[in-house]
Amino acid sequence: MGVIEMNLVENVGLIDGYVDEPTVLGVPPYVSIYPRYVAGSIWANSPKTQIHYQTIDEIRKSFENAQRQWAKMDLLILIAGMIVPGKYIGGTPISVREARILFSSPMLEDIPKILVGPWASFGCGLQGGKMALSSEVLAPPFDYIVKGDAEIVLAQVFDPSIGLESADLDATRESASEIEPYTIRGAQIVTQHPGFSNKHIICEIETYRGCPRFITGGCSFCVEPSYGMPQQRTTNDIVNEIESLYKLGVRAFRLGHQADLFTYCSQEIGEYEFPTPNAAAIDELFFKIRKVAPDLDVLHIDNVNPGTIARHPEESKKVAKAIMKYHTAGDVAAFGVESTDPEVIRRNNL
Ligand code: SF4
């Protein structure tokens, strides 16, 4: 692979191998935050760069055609990683074997290849719930494994004063505000998703990252506490991102990127393992979303900690009522109840 000048990067191939993390889902019809944040980070630093976005299901129609197209790119980026158990009907995530075959083609030898997402950060899970392989099993064919946050590292890669060779591949965001320059800029990438034209996409939206239970270590098997103190986005930042996606034609959203939606904006995050919900803040968030996206078809949520509801039943009732006022049919507040066995609960700090 040759060294490239980042100011000469005109064409980037962005391949969505899909992701599934405790707080992010990106298997169709869901579009995760990754392609949007990555595209935003590239366009914020290199507005003229063309990003060619494809999903792994499109690529499976012909590996050879995909490789021939990628051979014309200046840089290839794969988003991938399933690190929780899941069964999918809308798409099939990329396997490690497929990634090796696809990116090892001699046609792509001179093109730098970057791996981002959960596989890069946490290891290549062959399947959620099974022991992950080290991400090094994909180096080669990948030249750069981004263990940090994709959007932060790629902002460095496309910064002419830093570039690919000097970028810190472990760089992570210090606060949620660091992603905001990219969320709206990158929204446009969804128009290249195969489900966009027939409105068969649901954009996964981040409200916060990290788990309030990090103060006691969190559940033994979960990566979310490793982010430390949860980083919350402001209501206006979330609403502005939804507005930009809505203006492009997206009509389905899921507030899925958080450990527990009921604790969004709680003043007690960082103080208590099960902070008291802030129903007024959640009501305001949903109200504002409906205001900027009046004709949306889907407004769903994901991830609610039953431990919060058990400890704060009255405040939780108010949150549930606020959600029911604004959301759409078919919504599910997914509870993570891994076990009721006291010994399993004790050993895994559930
Ligand atoms: S409650 Fe447990 S499983 Fe859920 S996000 Fe927190 S650490 Fe992970």
Side-chain angles (χ1 to χ4, degrees):
M1 185 210 55
V3 173
I4 56 163
E5 294 285 334
M6 293 316 290
N7 54 0
L8 299 179
V9 173
E10 290 175 359
N11 290 289
V12 171
L14 179 60
I15 299 99
D16 194 343
Y18 308 146
V19 298
D20 194 359
E21 296 181 53
T23 64
V24 187
L25 177 59
V27 183
Y30 295 95
V31 182
S32 79
I33 56 164
Y34 286 98
R36 288 147 39 207
Y37 292 5
V38 165
S41 146
I42 295 172
W43 282 329
N45 289 282
S46 181
K48 290 192 177 148
T49 295
Q50 299 280 322
I51 302 176
H52 306 260
Y53 173 60
Q54 290 170 292
T55 66
I56 181 62
D57 284 311
E58 291 177 286
I59 289 160
R60 282 197 187 96
K61 288 175 196 155
S62 167
F63 276 19
E64 214 186 311
N65 282 352
Q67 288 162 328
R68 235 181 274 140
Q69 191 188 336
W70 296 345
K72 297 177 201 148
M73 301 290 134
D74 302 303
L75 182 69
L76 293 172
I77 302 170
L78 171 66
I79 299 163
M82 319 308 287
I83 55 170
V84 292
K87 300 274 177 228
Y88 313 100
I89 54 172
T92 305
I94 193 169
S95 67
V96 171
R97 188 170 168 273
E98 282 178 315
R100 277 209 190 103
I101 294 170
L102 270 166
F103 293 90
S104 297
S105 164
M107 278 190 275
L108 310 175
E109 208 175 347
D110 290 333
I111 302 171
K113 297 174 248 346
I114 302 179
L115 177 66
V116 303
W119 270 4
S121 302
F122 303 111
C124 299
L126 300 175
Q127 186 189 339
K130 298 259 172 10
M131 198 60 89
L133 302 170
S134 159
S135 49
E136 301 306 321
V137 298
L138 282 172
F142 287 88
D143 310 293
Y144 303 90
I145 307 278
V146 172
K147 294 202 178 295
D149 291 322
E151 67 281 0
I152 303 298
V153 174
L154 285 160
Q156 291 186 18
V157 168
F158 281 82
D159 178 340
S161 67
I162 305 176
L164 184 56
E165 296 309 319
S166 306
D168 174 7
L169 302 182
D170 297 331
T172 54
R173 53 167 112 146
E174 308 254 307
S175 71
S177 62
E178 283 184 57
I179 62 170
E180 301 311 339
Y182 314 134
T183 55
I184 292 174
R185 254 177 211 271
Q188 182 80 32
I189 201 74
V190 301
T191 61
Q192 294 184 41
H193 191 284
F196 178 78
S197 55
N198 60 1
K199 291 198 169 21
H200 193 58
I201 58 168
I202 302 174
C203 282
E204 183 88 322
I205 302 293
E206 172 175 358
T207 67
Y208 73 83
R209 180 167 92 166
C211 176
R213 296 195 60 234
F214 83 102
I215 49 179
T216 63
C219 305
S220 62
F221 47 80
C222 182
V223 299
E224 208 60 23
S226 67
Y227 292 117
M229 176 71 173
Q231 298 174 349
Q232 308 218 38
R233 296 180 72 195
T234 69
T235 300
N236 285 345
D237 284 337
I238 297 167
V239 171
N240 291 341
E241 183 189 5
I242 289 178
E243 185 176 24
S244 64
L245 288 160
Y246 184 81
K247 282 183 176 163
L248 289 167
V250 177
R251 290 291 178 270
F253 304 93
R254 186 174 84 152
L255 305 181
H257 190 349
Q258 66 281 310
D260 177 6
L261 184 70
F262 277 36
T263 55
Y264 169 67
C265 260
S266 168
Q267 302 295 319
E268 294 175 357
I269 285 191
E271 220 178 308
Y272 299 109
E273 192 183 357
F274 294 97
T276 307
N278 181 346
I282 292 173
D283 191 290
E284 185 192 354
L285 174 65
F286 276 79
F287 169 77
K288 287 186 167 174
I289 291 171
R290 280 298 194 144
K291 209 164 168 207
V292 297
D295 290 324
L296 53 74
D297 297 325
V298 176
L299 180 57
H300 284 175
I301 66 165
D302 193 27
N303 297 331
V304 175
N305 193 331
T308 303
I309 296 174
R311 285 164 183 83
H312 307 287
E314 286 313 310
E315 291 85 352
S316 296
K317 222 181 270 176
K318 288 184 199 157
V319 172
K321 281 187 178 166
I323 293 169
M324 285 156 60
K325 195 156 61 167
Y326 300 109
H327 74 164
T328 58
D331 198 10
V332 173
F335 287 178
V337 180
E338 280 75 21
S339 176
T340 53
D341 182 326
E343 187 54 17
V344 175
I345 291 171
R346 188 189 65 76
R347 285 204 208 174
N348 292 283
N349 192 33
L350 300 181

